[in-house]
Amino acid sequence: MAYGRYKEQLFPHTGAQAGSLKSCQVTVADGSAKLVLGADESYTLDVSATGCKITAKTQFGAYHAMETLSQLVVFNFDTDTYFVKDTPWSITDSPRFEHREVLLDTSRHFLPIATIRDIIASFTYAKINTIHWHIVDKQSFPYGSPTYPKLAKMGAYSSFERFTQQDVKDVVEYARQRGVRVVVEIDTPGHAASWCKGHPEI
């Protein structure tokens, strides 16, 4: 799945020729590694005039290598071909910080799932590996709790600005497939004004 995604990113101009870059060999030691804090994200990327070789200990390192490769490939509009400038390249890379996070606040500013996916996809360009999803706060409670449905029914900005449990699961899986962890935050006991709309007894 990841390689298909990067193929579209590497070669967005359909009908164009591959140019001199004919193949890419990818070797991953552990392709089923868990996405946890401290997962190995290192990789090596060697690019010649005719192809490339990626070596990584986990699939997450391979994702980063593909991302780096996508930033090296250039499209020549005059010849209708793809190429990499100034080959050969030999890159050995690993993150300086294990935790590289961006905060996403959908309580104060609701965002639809499609937008959240686009944001997560954009994180991969900078190799961000964590999204801190601030899903509820005193302004609104868009998360649909099956145990306490009134929280979202009364606490969301509107009946259309909510997230189901499956929405959250889908976002977590979408992010995982891109090497991004999702940390969902539900504020308690403070910042709970939105809770009181559905449960005034709080």
Side-chain angles (χ1 to χ4, degrees):
M1 181 182 293
Y3 303 124
R5 179 173 73 247
Y6 279 109
K7 182 179 179 181
E8 293 181 1
Q9 188 169 320
L10 281 159
F11 308 111
H13 303 284
T14 59
Q17 301 299 312
S20 59
L21 193 63
K22 300 294 185 182
S23 65
C24 188
Q25 177 186 340
V26 181
T27 303
V28 178
D30 181 5
S32 59
K34 299 290 185 182
L35 183 58
V36 295
L37 180 64
D40 194 307
E41 300 174 82
S42 64
Y43 67 90
T44 60
L45 170 63
D46 295 295
V47 185
S48 69
T50 58
C52 69
K53 180 180 179 182
I54 291 171
T55 306
K57 292 184 178 179
T58 70
Q59 69 271 32
F60 309 118
Y63 294 166
H64 295 326
M66 295 294 288
E67 187 61 53
T68 298
L69 178 61
S70 75
Q71 295 170 16
L72 293 174
V73 173
V74 178
F75 183 69
N76 187 324
F77 283 91
D78 294 327
T79 61
D80 203 30
T81 57
Y82 293 93
F83 69 101
V84 176
K85 287 184 177 180
D86 303 322
T87 54
W89 288 86
S90 184
I91 299 170
T92 299
D93 192 19
S94 61
R96 181 179 178 188
F97 302 105
E98 291 182 346
H99 183 87
R100 305 178 304 282
E101 174 192 301
V102 171
L103 172 67
L104 183 66
D105 188 342
T106 58
S107 170
R108 293 177 177 88
H109 308 282
F110 182 84
L111 297 171
I113 294 297
T115 301
I116 293 174
R117 286 175 179 246
D118 288 343
I119 291 171
I120 292 171
S122 73
F123 288 171
T124 63
Y125 288 97
K127 300 181 175 70
I128 301 297
N129 71 351
T130 307
I131 173 175
H132 173 181
W133 190 358
H134 193 70
I135 197 168
V136 301
D137 207 300
K138 66 179 182 180
Q139 285 79 8
S140 73
F141 198 108
Y143 172 65
S145 166
T147 307
Y148 301 101
K150 287 184 179 180
L151 288 172
K153 186 175 182 180
M154 305 298 292
Y157 284 128
S158 74
S159 60
F160 303 104
E161 295 171 299
R162 301 190 221 173
F163 302 114
T164 66
Q165 271 194 318
Q166 190 60 49
D167 287 337
V168 175
K169 289 179 181 179
D170 289 345
V171 166
V172 170
E173 178 58 18
Y174 181 87
R176 185 195 66 80
Q177 292 176 4
R178 287 153 180 79
V180 179
R181 295 182 302 133
V182 178
V183 180
V184 179
E185 178 191 357
I186 296 180
D187 278 352
T188 186
H191 300 258
S194 62
W195 299 42
C196 299
K197 295 176 182 177
H199 291 272
E201 69 275 11
I202 292 177

